[in-house]
């Protein structure tokens, strides 16, 4: 374990109650413990998180045990379970964000060989975005249409690059492939990263590679802002998922957070009154919705969760078309926003 990770764990332990209140809000403090039903944040008294004690070693604050299942671990394990984040560097970034630390994190393990130009930074992401072209008339438009999405080319957040370098794990040589490029921006509209979806040579689907999607830059808290936001917002995970919502209801402002872990961490804009969370039908999506709902409720934002009929809203769009998807959404959208569904 790196010194940075050890230091982060010590600070989490020193703030154990704050972590529990944020990630396990269904529980409560009793004496020296935070008590809740389980790691899924269900009400109950099975899981105990120690709130007092040393910051490391035996009896350390932040250690938990579930009396029903025998599960045990630390606060990073709780954050991982509640956010759905799987990559360890992203998990550290999430923990640092909760503690208010700077965003830059050095992952465990030996440092990679320094390249001639920095990779994964907002500056590199900006160069890739500028080198891309608008979607209309490109393979990116062909790809989006193959997913039932016609309006995708009308957002400046998406662009196309005909020769975006791609390399799968274990390969030593990068290969240029066509790619859909999505801008990841912050609340001020500044580009903080990009998301790449590599496409098949004819645009009819994704590239036949192991890693079809990859992001670079600063993602945590930011999003692909597919349309401008006003006093309401619909936010979900995937780009195609949120473009499908827009296809059925162009009057709804939509953002894509890119993953369930990042969905729970999206920074909500000031002045937002109503939030709709478009989930994927899986446990990670549900957990992210719970976390984002709790954060929105703390600042007085009304929240509704939008559920697809199938796996996600793009599945619904492809299966039933925009009119049926619009009707499905109308049953979940609040009465004050029904006019936004009108074409």
């Amino acid at each position: 374990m790196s010194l940075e990770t050890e230091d982060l764990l010590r600070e989490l332990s020193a703030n154990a109650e704050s972590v529990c209140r944020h990630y396990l809000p269904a529980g409560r403090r009793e004496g020296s413990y935070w008590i809740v039903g389980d790691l899924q944040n269900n009400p109950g008294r099975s899981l105990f998180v120690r709130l007092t004690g040393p910051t490391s070693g035996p009896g350390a604050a932040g250690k938990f045990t579930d009396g029903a299942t025998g599960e045990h671990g630390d606060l990073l394990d709780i954050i991982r379970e509640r956010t759905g984040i799987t990559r360890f560097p992203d998990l550290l970034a999430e923990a640092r964000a909760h503690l208010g630390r700077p965003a830059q994190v050095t992952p465990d393990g030996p440092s990679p060989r320094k390249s001639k130009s920095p990779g994964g930074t907002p500056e590199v992401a900006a160069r890739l975005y500028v080198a891309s072209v608008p979607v209309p008339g490109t393979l990116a438009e062909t790809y989006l249409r193959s997913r039932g999405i016609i309006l995708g080319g009308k957002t400046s957040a998406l662009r196309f690059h005909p020769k975006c370098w791609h390399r799968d794990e274990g390969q030593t040589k990068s290969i240029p492939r066509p790619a859909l490029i999505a801008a990841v921006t912050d609340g001020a509209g500044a580009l903080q990263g990009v998301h790449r979806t590599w496409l098949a040579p004819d645009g009819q689907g994704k590239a036949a590679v192991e890693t079809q999607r990859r992001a670079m830059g600063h993602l945590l808290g930011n999003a692909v802002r597919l349309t401008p936001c006003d006093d309401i917002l619909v936010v979900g995970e995937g780009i195609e998922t949120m473009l499908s919502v827009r296809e059925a209801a162009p009057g709804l402002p939509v953002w894509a957070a890119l993953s369930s872990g990042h969905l729970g961490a999206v920074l909500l804009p000031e002045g937002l009154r109503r939030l709709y969370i478009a989930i994927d039908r899986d446990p990670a999506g549900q957990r992210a919705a719970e976390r984002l709902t709790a954060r929105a409720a703390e600042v007085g934002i009304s929240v509704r969760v939008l559920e697809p009929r199938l796996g996600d809203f793009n599945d619904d769009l492809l299966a039933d078309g925009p009119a049926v998807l619009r009707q499905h959404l109308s049953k979940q959208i609040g009465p004050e926003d029904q006019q936004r569904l009108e074409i």
Side-chain angles (χ1 to χ4, degrees), residues 213-295:
R213 303 170 183 265
R214 190 173 284 141
M216 69 165 73
H218 298 162
L219 307 183
L220 194 66
N222 301 316
V224 180
R225 289 163 167 81
L226 295 166
T227 59
C229 170
D230 44 50
D231 63 339
I232 76 165
L233 172 65
V234 186
V235 63
E237 295 181 37
I239 294 168
E240 295 89 343
T241 295
M242 300 316 299
L243 286 174
S244 298
V245 172
R246 185 191 182 203
E247 199 71 26
L252 293 175
V254 295
W255 292 2
L258 300 177
S259 72
S260 59
H262 289 102
L263 174 60
V266 167
L267 296 179
L268 301 174
E270 290 190 16
L272 190 67
R273 297 173 59 193
R274 295 183 298 280
L275 174 67
Y276 294 94
I277 306 174
I279 66 170
D280 290 357
R281 197 173 278 280
D282 57 36
Q286 186 62 51
R287 289 194 297 269
E290 291 172 359
R291 182 178 171 221
L292 187 54
T293 296
R295 288 179 47 226

Side-chain angles (χ1 to χ4, degrees), residues 24-298:
L24 295 171
R28 64 179 182 176
R29 178 166 186 160
E30 293 189 15
S32 300
Y33 293 91
W34 188 265
I35 301 176
V36 70
D38 51 33
L39 284 175
Q40 287 70 51
N41 192 41
N42 291 310
R45 301 180 55 81
S46 176
L47 189 140
F48 293 76
V49 186
R50 184 182 290 274
L51 301 179
T52 61
T55 57
S56 62
K63 299 291 186 180
F64 75 85
T65 300
D66 190 324
T69 66
E71 291 179 277
H72 57 88
D74 57 29
L75 293 171
L76 275 181
D77 295 317
I78 290 174
I79 295 173
R80 180 190 293 112
E81 179 64 28
R82 297 298 300 135
T83 62
I85 296 173
T86 56
R87 293 186 67 250
F88 193 64
D90 294 340
L91 185 64
L92 294 182
E94 168 70 15
R96 289 172 70 97
H98 176 77
L99 294 169
R101 285 189 173 199
Q104 183 63 37
V105 178
T106 302
D108 287 347
S111 300
R113 185 174 59 186
K114 187 175 181 180
S115 58
K116 293 181 181 179
S117 61
T121 66
E123 293 75 20
V124 174
R127 288 200 294 271
L128 177 59
Y129 181 79
V130 170
S132 305
V133 299
V135 166
T138 68
L139 288 178
E141 183 178 47
T142 302
Y143 167 71
L144 292 173
R145 287 180 178 271
S146 76
R147 303 293 293 265
I149 298 165
I150 309 300
L151 299 176
K154 297 184 178 181
T155 171
S156 60
L158 300 181
R159 293 174 71 88
F160 171 72
H161 197 295
K163 295 181 178 180
C164 183
W165 292 104
H166 175 275
R167 184 175 63 188
D168 267 330
E169 294 293 332
Q171 293 183 338
T172 58
K173 183 179 180 181
S174 297
I175 299 174
R177 300 182 186 275
L180 174 69
I181 307 297
V184 179
T185 53
D186 61 18
L191 191 141
Q192 297 294 330
V194 294
H195 182 271
R196 296 154 288 174
T197 303
W198 282 278
L199 308 177
D202 61 358
Q204 296 292 331
K206 300 185 187 73
V209 293
E210 181 178 346
T211 303
Q212 298 175 318
R213 303 170 183 265
R214 190 173 284 141
M216 69 165 73
H218 298 162
L219 307 183
L220 194 66
N222 301 316
V224 180
R225 289 163 167 81
L226 295 166
T227 59
C229 170
D230 44 50
D231 63 339
I232 76 165
L233 172 65
V234 186
V235 63
E237 295 181 37
I239 294 168
E240 295 89 343
T241 295
M242 300 316 299
L243 286 174
S244 298
V245 172
R246 185 191 182 203
E247 199 71 26
L252 293 175
V254 295
W255 292 2
L258 300 177
S259 72
S260 59
H262 289 102
L263 174 60
V266 167
L267 296 179
L268 301 174
E270 290 190 16
L272 190 67
R273 297 173 59 193
R274 295 183 298 280
L275 174 67
Y276 294 94
I277 306 174
I279 66 170
D280 290 357
R281 197 173 278 280
D282 57 36
Q286 186 62 51
R287 289 194 297 269
E290 291 172 359
R291 182 178 171 221
L292 187 54
T293 296
R295 288 179 47 226
E298 288 177 357

